[in-house]
Amino acid sequence: MALTKVGKEGITGISNSSDATAITISSAEKVTLTQQIASKAPAFRATMGSAQTFSTDTFTVVNFDTEVFDTNSNYDTSNFRFTPTIAGYYFFNTQVFAGTTARTTAGFRKNGSNNVEVFQQGSNTNGGICYEASAIIQLNGSSDYVDALFRHENGSDITCNANVALTNFSGHLLMAT
């Protein structure tokens, strides 16, 4: 990075190694980041190709096997997990739409261990409820991975809705470390 101009109007450009302006800071202290910086942040969104059935009282990895987008090729549709190549703090969100009013858990595993769980119990008035969990998880950028979990206490198996708007898993880098 190289500073290109400082004046009373502010910093008008900071260049990266390809001499493209990466950051502009105005005299009003407004910071503008160009696509060259934003595009380097890993982000993904995945959904299901078909509905999944969940057994009672079992934490199950949700089969998000279809990428909506994956900016850095870090999401694996064969094992349903995100393994970033940049160390940092990541924000994750998952939602699963299912027809049960029983106690239900949506959450995440980091490296195969339950990291975050969110318990929800709702009213099934229109054929189902969207169970959702969000978390900020620190990952090392080499071997750490995250996948989404779902569990219910319905008493019998339930099948979720595979619509991308209702059942999905997403995440993005908040801050590199």
Side-chain angles (χ1 to χ4, degrees), residues 5-6 20 39 42 48 50 58 64 69 71 81-82 96 98 128 148 166:
K5 183 178 176 187
V6 177
S39 67
M48 302 173 137
S50 60
T58 304
F64 292 113
F69 62 86
T71 63
R81 64 175 63 158
F82 177 75
V96 175
L166 301 173

Side-chain angles (χ1 to χ4, degrees), residues 80-115:
F80 323 115
R81 64 175 63 158
F82 177 75
T83 307
T85 53
I86 298 173
Y89 295 94
Y90 287 81
F91 175 81
F92 294 97
N93 187 74
T94 189
Q95 57 185 40
V96 175
F97 188 87
T100 181
T101 57
R103 187 169 125 160
T104 305
T105 305
F108 307 97
R109 290 189 318 175
K110 176 181 175 182
N111 302 329
S113 297
N114 290 9
N115 188 42

